[in-house]
Amino acid sequence: VTINPILPESFSALPSKVGEYLAAGRPIISSVRGELENMLIEYDAGAFYVARSPESLATSMLSYIQNPEKALIQGKNARRLAEDLFDRDRTYPKMARFIEDLQ
């Protein structure tokens, strides 16, 4: 299990480490809401905690300690998420077509 400890006022809500964590097949415990939250929920690839709340982070971490199978299942889901949305061989051609279509 990995942790994405980003504060709400941070400029980087989706740092590159997120893609690396997912590609490694590790679920993410994240404090980021929005797009990352939606991806992790859709793929069942992680958990959430409230930024600046050690209690909230501890609760999320404890859920994996008490249920190690959860980390294994979500790890496989995380890898699938990485392949679907963060694989440059797949995403860059789509991005190039999108940019070309703007003209």
Side-chain angles (χ1 to χ4, degrees), residues 11-87:
F11 291 112
S12 179
L14 193 58
S16 60
K17 68 181 173 186
V18 167
E20 294 167 6
Y21 292 164
L22 295 169
R26 300 291 185 255
I28 298 173
I29 298 174
S30 179
S31 62
V32 175
R33 299 300 192 190
E35 187 175 9
L36 176 58
E37 176 184 25
N38 294 336
M39 284 188 278
L40 294 178
I41 289 170
E42 180 181 342
Y43 281 81
D44 186 29
F48 301 93
Y49 75 97
V50 178
R52 294 187 179 93
S53 172
E55 297 83 11
S56 179
L57 177 57
T59 298
S60 290
M61 294 172 73
L62 188 58
S63 73
Y64 290 99
I65 293 168
Q66 293 173 334
N67 184 3
E69 186 70 18
K70 177 180 176 180
L72 296 174
I73 292 167
Q74 287 189 340
K76 290 177 185 174
N77 295 341
R79 178 63 191 193
R80 188 169 48 87
L81 169 56
E83 291 170 357
D84 287 354
L85 301 180
F86 291 88
D87 181 348

